[in-house]
Amino acid sequence: MGQCLRYQMHWEDLEEYQALTFLTRNEILCIHDTFLKLCPPGKYYKEATLTMNQVSSLPALRVNPFRDRICRVFSHNDVFSFEDVLGMASVFSEQACPSLKIEYAFRIYDFNENGFIDEEDLQRIALRLLNTDDVSEDLLMDLTKHVLSESDLDNDNMLSFSEFEHAMAKSPDFMNSFRIHFWGC
Amino acid sequence: MSEDGAGALPPGRPGRQPGSHQENPSLDSSCFSSPPVNFLQELPSYRSIARRRTAILSRDRQRGTLLKPADSYSSHLDGAITENLNSQSIRKYALNISEKRRLRDIQETQMKYLSEWDQWKRYSSKSWKRFLEKGREMTTHLELWRQDIRSIEGKFGTGIQSYFSFLRFLVLLNLVIFLIIFMLVLLPVLLTKYKITNSSFVLIPLKDMDIQCTAYPISSSGLIYFYSYIIDLLSGTGFLEGTSLFYGHYTIDGVKFQNFTYDLPLAYLLSTIAYLALSLLWIVKRSVEGFKINLIRSEEHFQSYCNKIFAGWDFCITNRSTADLKHSSLRYELRADLEEERIRQKIAERTSEETIRIYSLRLFLNCIVLAVLVACFYAIYIATIFSQEHMKKEIDKMVFGENLLILYLPSIVITLANFITPMIFAKIIHYEDYSPGFEIRLTILRCVFMRLATICVLVFTLGSKITSCDNGTECELCGYNQKLYPCWETQVGQEMYKLMIFDFIIILAVTLFVDFPRKLLVTYCSSWKLIKCWGQQEFAIPDNVLGIVYGQTICWIGAFFSPLLPAIATLKFIIIFYVKELSLLYTCRPSPRQFRASNSNFFFLLVLLIGLCLAIIPLTISMSRIPSSKACGPFTNFNTTWDVIPKTVSTFPSSLQSLVHGITSEAFAVPFFMIICLVMFYFIALAGAHKQVVDQLREQLSLVRKHRPRGSGIAVAPSPHLLPKLCLQAWPPPASFLH
């Protein structure tokens, strides 16, 4: 795999990325290095793009059951530019604020992209989490019913964004689990 | 700029139906009459509104392009925009980087239209924030063991990582405790001893005290065998007894510097109070987060389903095998929860006959548990008395092994008791027929109580020995059993030292001689059926946490009697960190039932708090009830340790004295207590009222839903980070803005 043109990141660019994302200097430089290793040869890093498969097979995302959704939410036109990758890393970084994470979590969990997390989405999430074929319909229905009874406030059998936000604000594990350390930085 | 716009979109306020509210028709019309607004469509919060009116749009849209503003985009929003854009930092907006860049340019242009003062304010707040961030970044480099804990998190998940973070917290706590003791007690003594400063010790001879009380024979025999050095090292006797390790070394009444006299007894007492208060505050501060979460969570479920489904996956897992394990643990957890639901329903359907049977069985089993506890405490009591009596006899004449056995007898009995009782409790609880979640919690609670109470029993046994005499005259002379315990604080310190050393040795021995061979057996002799059954070691979090909380409780009790004990504890925990890390990486497989990080943090700190409370009790009793020894230590001139405080208060100026006396009198304490009770009742009533309001609002929501036709979701105001998209839409700003 060839490498992009070896441009050092300009100091102004680094400062700008630090101001616009939640990443630290080291993290941005780490991501820059890894991006350079993966992108196709002969291109400036700001113009190069990675395919969704390349990003899915990064060590940080390789075993994630939601990696296809993550790639879909953060990519533009099915490719990742360098700034897309930075944006993704920023949302998943430790320093990101809860509202940002909740916003993107909603997008990731909305499998059918209708603006709500409905029963179909919940069943798909549960299947991804359990990762087994040996799961009865009853179990899925039970789980869906319990989740909706806890967080569906207006009883329309789906979660709108504000209901999801409300549920995640009460959830103690959300901030801890919705983190990715990219590229071993 | 109109104020309506600002009023219409305050962040976080629940919105109304766009069709019906008058305040911002501009938002409404621009949403629906202009060509599809790409940014708005991306946001789920917008889509909840849009769903009612427009057809569901396809994914086929261009991102990253800025549209020309709709003509109807009026200055109604300008107020809101300027209000909100500058209140949040750019990073918090859910936009991609190129959009954020444009937003920042807009912000900067806006700044030009502000007054000088506002500009300077904004600039300085931005630089201050940047400075704080750089500082925070640098301190993360200083964080101890950051890389190790991160790799553990990636391989084993956040439950086990929380154990190691807890261990790191204890290392820091012990280090700070040692620093306090060092600054207040050790530093003046060392400065004077090694003649670094021109100071001298002040020794006030005892008055009106029988000379017998001050006799303190430190045993030193002529010919010392080599092994006695080892015994002394392991038990704190002999050459270690007179060193600064123990209380008896500090037989100093003050340190005279050039300008003032440093009151060492007062400093010694204050250092104890300071480290206890600091530990309490630090633990409470750390546990407030977890406590709030536990309160907010609904009480019926042990863990809510929302939490398990949406926050169930640890996104930081990078290992294939860990991921498989996480899947299987999620399977287990979700199935167990549904099972628990079923059991709870079954319990609710019990007949009264069955209920009576179950309750009487539980009463009987709880009596058995109590009996087991009493038996263990009695065994520790006997062992301690036996060990103390035989220590006084000619211990030099005994054989090496017997020597150590007698010295370490209490520690051995405590360890054995802590090993056997969890197994007994686990067996008993099966018959009590609780729901699985409650079973786990009750077992852990019983083990915690058992472990921590054993130390208290040991200390109380020592206390009873110190203040009991065969004939009354001995105790009357000095207030304590002077013949057996000329310097009783040092001897209590020695017991704590022995407990700590033994605990450390046991942890190392178990890891070296049980975990590693087990792993070797499983790897190389896996054909044997027994080995396969036994399997590889699991990293049992509750047991490990109890172990280190036990060590910390010993440190808290012992730090008063042995000032260097916190330093030893710090070293011990550092070594334990590396040992446990190696054991985890090389010998353990993670257990299928995993602890959740949020639950764990609160549980660990709760256990630590119980340990602290159990440590304060013997300390306060020994400081205020048992007379301090007259032969050694800084409190030879005082009746009890606590007497330093009244004596110091009597040296204050009279106004301050009367203030102190006023605060500690009943005339102040009773009204103060009553006011505190009133405040507490007020907050309880407030919480109850809030809960009622929440329930009513929930009902209202579902009623509102029922009365609206299907297809119209709840209208919500767009989230605060929707606003920049609206703003980007509006760029370049309408002409009216420029005036």
Side-chain angles (χ1 to χ4, degrees):
Chain A
M1 198 132 228
Q3 293 190 356
C4 287
L5 291 177
R6 269 275 176 207
Y7 277 105
Q8 275 293 66
M9 198 186 283
H10 293 300
W11 184 83
E12 303 94 46
D13 287 339
L14 189 60
E15 285 290 311
E16 189 189 37
Y17 289 140
Q18 258 195 294
L20 293 178
T21 65
F22 282 102
L23 300 169
T24 62
R25 280 177 68 88
N26 283 337
E27 289 170 348
I28 298 176
L29 290 171
C30 271
I31 295 174
H32 181 239
D33 281 339
T34 319
F35 192 82
L36 287 180
K37 284 195 202 100
L38 288 176
C39 72
K43 272 185 132 178
Y44 183 43
Y45 78 90
K46 284 204 182 178
E47 291 148 11
T49 57
L50 294 179
T51 64
M52 300 231 288
N53 276 336
Q54 279 178 301
V55 173
S56 282
S57 43
L58 283 168
L61 290 178
R62 222 184 341 226
V63 294
N64 198 314
F66 300 107
R67 56 188 180 277
D68 60 329
R69 288 297 307 156
I70 295 176
C71 288
R72 215 144 148 76
V73 165
F74 287 100
S75 61
H76 289 105
N77 296 332
D78 293 341
V79 288
F80 276 88
S81 71
F82 178 65
E83 293 185 350
D84 291 330
V85 172
L86 276 188
M88 177 168 65
S90 166
V91 170
F92 283 112
S93 78
E94 271 182 30
Q95 298 93 339
C97 63
S99 57
L100 190 63
K101 290 195 193 248
I102 292 176
E103 172 86 47
Y104 278 97
F106 189 82
R107 290 194 219 180
I108 290 173
Y109 287 135
D110 184 11
F111 277 74
N112 49 19
E113 286 167 8
N114 59 355
F116 291 92
I117 296 181
D118 50 19
E119 290 178 5
E120 183 197 335
D121 293 327
L122 284 173
Q123 291 197 3
R124 288 219 257 185
I125 296 173
L127 278 172
R128 294 280 182 105
L129 285 177
L130 298 172
N131 200 32
T132 172
D133 301 319
D134 172 29
V135 137
S136 64
E137 267 301 310
D138 291 336
L139 181 72
L140 289 177
M141 291 299 301
D142 253 342
L143 281 175
T144 315
K145 193 180 65 165
H146 277 112
V147 171
L148 286 174
S149 73
E150 278 176 9
S151 49
D152 185 18
L153 300 173
D154 60 349
N155 288 336
D156 59 352
N157 277 342
M158 44 192 182
L159 297 180
S160 69
F161 176 71
S162 49
E163 289 165 338
F164 180 75
E165 193 175 11
H166 177 72
M168 289 301 102
K170 289 199 301 180
S171 154
D173 288 321
F174 178 71
M175 284 301 288
N176 267 335
S177 61
F178 207 69
R179 273 186 295 163
I180 299 183
H181 304 306
F182 276 97
W183 290 283
C185 296
Chain B
M1 298 179 200
S2 80
E3 287 312 298
D4 296 346
L9 295 169
R13 241 176 64 189
R16 287 121 286 168
Q17 285 201 53
S20 63
H21 67 163
Q22 308 303 315
E23 289 98 318
N24 61 348
S26 55
L27 166 61
D28 201 37
S29 47
S30 67
C31 290
F32 302 112
S33 60
S34 61
V37 175
N38 293 354
F39 292 139
L40 286 181
Q41 289 154 17
E42 289 165 34
L43 279 176
S45 40
Y46 168 80
R47 283 195 250 163
S48 313
I49 309 172
R51 198 169 181 241
R52 278 170 295 100
R53 296 285 207 100
T54 60
I56 296 174
L57 301 153
S58 63
R59 285 245 1 149
D60 197 295
R61 55 188 184 267
Q62 280 180 332
R63 295 212 206 183
T65 54
L66 297 171
L67 296 177
K68 282 213 301 218
D71 289 328
S72 51
Y73 223 97
S74 71
S75 53
H76 285 219
L77 281 174
D78 295 340
I81 290 173
T82 38
E83 277 301 312
N84 276 293
L85 281 187
N86 295 315
S87 60
Q88 280 204 72
S89 88
I90 296 194
R91 309 164 170 185
K92 296 190 185 171
Y93 295 123
L95 302 168
N96 61 20
I97 289 191
S98 46
E99 291 163 6
K100 284 190 209 172
R101 240 184 234 127
R102 288 301 299 259
L103 185 62
R104 193 189 48 185
D105 294 337
I106 296 171
Q107 272 191 3
E108 275 168 14
T109 325
Q110 273 181 356
M111 286 235 301
K112 294 200 194 99
Y113 301 112
L114 295 167
S115 65
E116 287 263 333
W117 171 247
D118 279 330
Q119 271 189 38
W120 182 84
K121 241 187 6 185
R122 209 147 279 150
Y123 174 70
S124 61
S125 77
K126 268 217 181 101
S127 352
W128 174 244
K129 275 190 205 131
R130 216 172 296 159
F131 173 72
L132 279 179
E133 252 166 49
K134 285 244 156 60
R136 219 170 286 149
E137 212 181 305
M138 263 188 268
T139 47
T140 52
H141 283 296
L142 293 171
E143 209 180 298
L144 194 61
W145 294 319
R146 190 158 173 260
Q147 208 44 44
D148 291 296
I149 293 188
R150 265 207 185 166
S151 70
I152 290 176
E153 186 178 29
K155 289 203 198 108
F156 290 94
T158 49
I160 291 187
Q161 174 258 348
S162 58
Y163 166 79
F164 284 94
S165 302
F166 181 64
L167 195 50
R168 176 176 61 188
F169 163 64
L170 283 181
V171 167
L172 288 174
L173 180 68
N174 279 315
L175 195 62
V176 171
I177 291 177
F178 178 65
L179 278 176
I180 292 178
I181 295 182
F182 182 76
M183 306 285 341
L184 288 177
V185 174
L186 286 174
L187 195 61
V189 171
L190 286 176
L191 284 177
T192 314
K193 204 160 139 194
Y194 294 107
K195 305 218 180 344
I196 300 175
T197 61
N198 195 6
S199 50
S200 60
F201 290 135
V202 171
L203 299 163
I204 304 174
L206 280 172
K207 5 179 185 293
D208 334 314
M209 193 55 73
D210 209 316
I211 199 73
Q212 265 196 317
C213 290
T214 58
Y216 183 23
I218 299 191
S219 56
S220 52
S221 22
L223 198 64
I224 306 178
Y225 290 104
F226 173 69
Y227 71 78
S228 64
Y229 276 123
I230 303 188
I231 296 200
D232 287 343
L233 198 64
L234 289 176
S235 66
T237 48
F239 76 96
L240 275 182
E241 195 163 336
T243 59
S244 57
L245 179 60
F246 292 114
Y247 173 97
H249 176 77
Y250 302 91
T251 314
I252 301 159
D253 291 297
V255 179
K256 194 165 156 52
F257 289 99
Q258 273 154 1
N259 303 335
F260 64 97
T261 308
Y262 186 78
D263 193 353
L264 195 73
L266 183 66
Y268 200 96
L269 182 61
L270 282 182
S271 71
T272 307
I273 298 177
Y275 81 69
L276 287 173
L278 172 82
S279 309
L280 182 67
L281 286 174
W282 204 345
I283 295 173
V284 167
K285 176 180 166 294
R286 266 179 87 104
S287 61
V288 155
E289 261 311 312
F291 185 59
K292 271 197 261 188
I293 286 168
N294 268 291
L295 271 184
I296 292 175
R297 208 186 294 159
S298 65
E299 288 83 18
E300 306 102 53
H301 301 283
F302 181 54
Q303 271 278 335
S304 79
Y305 286 92
C306 270
N307 191 39
K308 289 208 175 115
I309 296 281
F310 293 125
W313 183 261
D314 269 340
F315 277 62
C316 48
I317 292 181
T318 52
N319 209 346
R320 178 82 254 167
S321 50
T322 317
D324 290 334
L325 204 72
K326 187 76 186 172
H327 282 300
S328 63
S329 89
L330 278 169
R331 263 176 257 147
Y332 176 89
E333 250 189 278
L334 290 170
R335 288 208 171 101
D337 275 346
L338 292 173
E339 177 71 29
E340 185 152 342
E341 275 292 311
R342 245 167 278 152
I343 289 181
R344 211 173 282 137
Q345 264 191 319
K346 201 183 71 168
I347 289 177
E349 291 163 8
R350 269 200 204 129
T351 63
S352 53
E353 196 184 87
E354 253 181 49
T355 320
I356 294 179
R357 189 184 69 86
I358 291 274
Y359 275 116
S360 49
L361 183 64
R362 277 188 199 164
L363 192 65
F364 173 64
L365 289 172
N366 273 309
C367 289
I368 294 188
V369 165
L370 264 175
V372 166
L373 283 176
V374 166
C376 289
F377 293 160
Y378 187 67
I380 294 168
Y381 173 76
I382 297 283
T384 312
I385 295 206
F386 183 79
S387 160
Q388 289 290 313
E389 276 169 8
H390 283 258
M391 251 168 48
K392 298 301 160 190
K393 298 189 183 150
E394 282 121 14
I395 202 159
D396 296 322
K397 291 209 183 122
M398 294 189 209
V399 195
F400 180 58
E402 202 183 334
N403 234 348
L404 270 184
L405 192 68
I406 299 279
L407 284 172
Y408 274 85
L409 195 61
S411 320
I412 295 175
V413 172
I414 290 182
T415 309
L416 272 177
N418 285 321
F419 183 68
I420 298 176
T421 44
M423 297 197 284
I424 300 179
F425 290 155
K427 273 264 135 43
I428 288 180
I429 203 146
H430 277 306
Y431 298 105
E432 289 188 71
D433 200 14
Y434 289 117
S435 62
F438 189 71
E439 247 184 47
I440 300 173
R441 277 186 283 180
L442 193 59
T443 319
I444 290 179
L445 215 63
R446 282 177 179 158
C447 293
V448 164
F449 180 70
M450 169 73 201
R451 253 211 162 178
L452 300 178
T454 49
I455 310 177
C456 280
V457 168
L458 177 69
V459 176
F460 278 122
T461 316
L462 282 175
S464 70
K465 284 266 336 164
I466 290 168
T467 50
S468 75
C469 318
D470 296 323
N471 45 350
T473 48
E474 269 178 29
C475 285
E476 268 176 31
L477 208 55
C478 315
Y480 54 92
N481 195 338
Q482 192 273 334
K483 222 164 83 170
L484 291 177
Y485 299 100
C487 188
W488 63 267
E489 286 100 339
T490 302
Q491 268 141 351
V492 176
Q494 283 169 345
E495 285 297 326
M496 295 293 118
Y497 175 77
K498 277 190 274 182
L499 274 180
M500 181 161 280
I501 299 284
F502 190 69
D503 182 46
F504 182 50
I505 292 176
I506 288 287
I507 292 183
L508 285 180
V510 164
T511 314
L512 274 176
F513 298 121
V514 176
D515 292 347
F516 276 98
R518 184 170 172 176
K519 167 80 190 263
L520 288 172
L521 277 177
V522 170
T523 324
Y524 294 117
C525 308
S526 54
S527 50
W528 300 357
K529 216 168 132 206
L530 192 66
I531 307 286
K532 231 192 252 179
C533 255
W534 200 23
Q536 226 178 344
Q537 172 87 335
E538 269 177 21
F539 194 85
I541 292 184
D543 293 328
N544 281 302
V545 167
L546 283 183
I548 56 180
V549 168
Y550 171 75
Q552 185 58 41
T553 311
I554 297 175
C555 175
W556 273 322
I557 297 180
F560 175 72
F561 303 106
S562 164
L564 290 186
L565 209 62
I568 300 177
T570 311
L571 283 171
K572 172 183 163 198
F573 283 139
I574 291 179
I575 298 178
I576 288 181
F577 183 93
Y578 287 112
V579 164
K580 287 286 174 194
E581 194 187 352
L582 286 173
S583 160
L584 177 72
L585 292 174
Y586 291 113
T587 70
C588 291
R589 61 182 162 95
S591 91
R593 189 207 292 156
Q594 291 191 350
F595 258 54
R596 295 201 155 266
S598 60
N599 226 22
S600 319
N601 283 329
F602 182 62
F603 161 69
F604 299 164
L605 291 166
L606 187 68
V607 174
L608 197 62
L609 207 57
I610 294 176
L612 180 63
C613 295
L614 283 177
I616 289 182
I617 299 175
L619 272 181
T620 44
I621 294 184
S622 72
M623 282 202 288
S624 54
R625 283 301 166 90
I626 305 182
S628 53
S629 40
K630 306 292 174 276
C632 60
F635 301 103
T636 49
N637 280 318
F638 302 95
N639 203 8
T640 63
T641 312
W642 185 255
D643 281 344
V644 181
I645 304 272
K647 227 180 184 179
T648 316
V649 168
S650 62
T651 62
F652 287 167
S654 60
S655 54
L656 201 56
Q657 250 187 69
S658 47
L659 180 68
V660 172
H661 283 143
I663 292 181
T664 51
S665 66
E666 285 103 11
F668 177 80
V670 170
F672 184 67
F673 178 70
M674 278 177 36
I675 291 178
I676 298 257
C677 282
L678 282 175
V679 169
M680 194 173 68
F681 284 137
Y682 166 72
F683 279 117
I684 292 176
L686 198 64
H690 281 164
K691 194 163 186 304
Q692 268 190 347
V693 168
V694 164
D695 288 334
Q696 279 175 4
L697 283 174
R698 277 184 96 125
E699 260 184 52
Q700 248 186 358
L701 264 175
S702 51
L703 278 176
V704 156
R705 173 77 194 86
K706 274 193 208 127
H707 291 260
R708 187 173 304 132
R710 195 139 188 354
S712 48
I714 295 185
V716 289
S719 334
H721 32 269
L722 170 61
L723 275 166
K725 296 210 173 198
L726 302 174
C727 167
L728 288 170
Q729 234 188 301
W731 190 255
S736 59
F737 187 73
L738 292 171
H739 298 309

